[in-house]
């Protein structure tokens, strides 16, 4: 049987027109690059974009990924930035987001595996919570860079609290 799909239309109040339209706060070139499923193309489009993104590279199992995404949604919402979710199918979570949720998403979705070494720190403020030595350190709120956050955990910043993140998660 086909997997049960859950509509996330309640999230659309964050982006009423969906991500497929330029009016949603997303850069059209970034959306086109995301569709290629290539980090190199997406990073190049982000580099050329005047719009600064919150990027969450959601890791580990489904629960951890949803927690990181909810936290990133809260962070993006509070900073008025569009959100890009990176979702790699791996041994921890062997299914794509599309098999569980219906489009349109209130975020851009890149289905690719991204190595943190390929994230240029000149363009991105990088926080890698998968590294135990940096887990829990506050994430920057710099306005001049994209913010890249690799994690299965909550973002350590004011809008990343579990209470606020839960409000985003409840909308799923």
């Amino acid at each position: 049987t086909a997997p049960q799909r859950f509509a996330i239309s309640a999230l659309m109040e964050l982006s009423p027109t969906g991500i497929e339209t330029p009016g949603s706060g997303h850069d059209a070139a970034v959306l086109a690059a995301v569709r290629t499923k290539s980090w190199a193309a997406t990073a190049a489009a982000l580099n050329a974009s005047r719009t600064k993104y919150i990027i969450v590279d959601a890791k580990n199992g489904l629960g951890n990924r949803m927690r990181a995404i909810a936290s990133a949604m809260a962070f993006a919402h509070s900073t008025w930035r569009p959100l890009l979710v990176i979702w790699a199918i791996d041994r921890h979570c062997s299914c794509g987001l599309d098999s569980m949720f219906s489009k349109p998403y209130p975020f851009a979705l890149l289905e690719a595996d991204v190595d943190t070494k390929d994230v240029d720190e000149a363009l991105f403020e990088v926080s890698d919570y998968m590294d135990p030595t940096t887990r829990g350190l506050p994430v920057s709120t710099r306005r001049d860079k994209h913010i890249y956050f690799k994690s299965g955990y909550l973002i350590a910043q004011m809008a990343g609290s579990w209470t606020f993140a839960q409000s985003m998660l409840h909308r799923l």
Side-chain angles (χ1 to χ4, degrees):
T1 64
Q4 186 176 5
R5 300 172 68 81
F6 301 94
I8 58 172
S9 59
L11 283 170
M12 298 318 297
E13 65 187 70
L14 298 177
S15 175
T17 58
I19 69 157
E20 298 300 323
T21 61
S24 65
H26 289 275
D27 183 294
V30 171
L31 292 178
V34 163
R35 288 198 248 336
T36 69
K37 298 186 178 189
S38 160
W39 171 248
T42 302
L46 287 165
N47 182 31
S49 176
R50 292 179 54 182
T51 303
K52 300 301 178 199
Y53 278 72
I54 301 293
I55 301 149
V56 61
D57 190 350
K59 294 296 180 189
N60 288 344
L62 179 61
N64 292 67
R65 290 175 189 228
M66 297 312 296
R67 177 175 49 197
I69 290 169
S71 184
M73 288 172 65
F75 188 29
H77 183 71
S78 70
T79 58
W80 290 84
R81 290 188 186 207
L83 176 62
L84 169 61
V85 172
I86 299 172
W87 185 284
I89 295 173
D90 61 18
R91 64 186 175 95
H92 300 288
C93 189
S94 61
C95 60
L97 202 61
D98 288 342
S99 67
M100 296 176 285
F101 297 97
S102 299
K103 290 182 180 178
Y105 302 125
F107 46 77
L109 175 64
L110 174 63
E111 294 179 306
D113 193 17
V114 176
D115 190 326
T116 308
K117 292 179 279 191
D118 296 330
V119 180
D120 184 355
E121 291 192 21
L123 305 171
F124 300 87
E125 191 68 33
V126 178
S127 294
D128 185 357
Y129 277 25
M130 299 313 291
D131 177 351
T133 64
T134 59
R135 185 176 302 148
L137 293 177
V139 173
S140 171
T141 55
R142 290 181 61 164
R143 301 299 299 167
D144 62 329
K145 287 186 172 187
H146 302 287
I147 297 171
Y148 173 92
F149 173 78
K150 181 176 185 176
S151 184
Y153 307 95
L154 293 176
I155 297 172
Q157 54 78 41
M158 289 180 59
S161 72
W162 181 237
T163 302
F164 193 37
Q166 265 186 314
S167 70
M168 297 295 157
L169 193 58
H170 281 283
R171 294 176 176 185
L172 296 175

